[in-house]
Amino acid sequence: SWAREMCIRDSLYAVSASGALKWKATLGAAVKASPAVTTDGVVYALADGGILKAFDAVSGTEKWSATQTGNAGGVAVDADGTVYIGTSKGIWAYTEGGTLKWTCDMKYNVTERGGSLAIGGGVLYATLKSKGGCAAVDTATGRTLWTYASQAGDSYHPVVDSDGTVYFCEKNGYLYACLLYTSPSPRDT
């Protein structure tokens, strides 16, 4: 069975289903984003300072690392192995081997402390701080497709359903639903 990964302070822990520690790795900065685990056994963890590290899920051996800037917001992996990270300074995509694929065309302030990224239909959704709402980014190019501003604060936890609707929450209790490639009233980006 796959290990459960959890991040505490500057470390990533792999804990077995029975609760035994399998391994621990230090990232060197505060970890505020949930890790992502692939079906082929790679764990990706993002720490403040834009520190991204890939680990073997079984042994905890570091496979590769990369560094951008900003506070950790989110990490997600799509079916082809592309790894996406969002921080308070921007959004980037990496190959499964650690090579930078693209830098997003806009400098977004991705919400830290939680799941701030979701993928669906070739689109990466990032929830943003300070009424930024949600940004939709083309996974192939890093080009912004649209943004939708929220009403009162930071946004969190995007999810995408089978018809391409993205849902996200706002700190002050609002729930938003936006359609893929369109939104009720997009703001200019």
Side-chain angles (χ1 to χ4, degrees), residues 40-125:
D40 62 347
V42 180
V43 180
Y44 297 95
L46 179 65
D48 280 355
I51 300 166
L52 172 64
K53 293 190 178 191
F55 299 95
D56 179 275
V58 175
S59 68
T61 302
E62 185 177 319
K63 297 173 73 78
W64 58 266
S65 66
T67 303
Q68 290 295 338
T69 61
N71 291 329
V75 59
V77 182
D78 70 14
D80 76 0
T82 300
V83 182
Y84 304 91
I85 64 168
T87 74
S88 60
K89 300 292 184 184
I91 301 171
W92 298 268
Y94 287 87
T95 66
E96 61 188 329
T99 302
L100 182 66
K101 284 179 83 168
W102 52 253
T103 299
C104 184
D105 63 347
M106 301 291 291
K107 297 289 183 192
Y108 291 113
N109 186 357
V110 177
T111 305
E112 65 243 15
R113 288 186 291 271
S116 300
L117 302 178
I119 302 167
V123 178
L124 176 71
Y125 299 96

Side-chain angles (χ1 to χ4, degrees), residues 1-6 12-20 22-23 35 37:
S1 69
W2 287 101
R4 291 183 309 168
E5 275 71 35
M6 63 182 155
L12 172 69
Y13 294 81
V15 178
S16 72
S18 66
K22 291 178 71 176
W23 54 264
V37 182

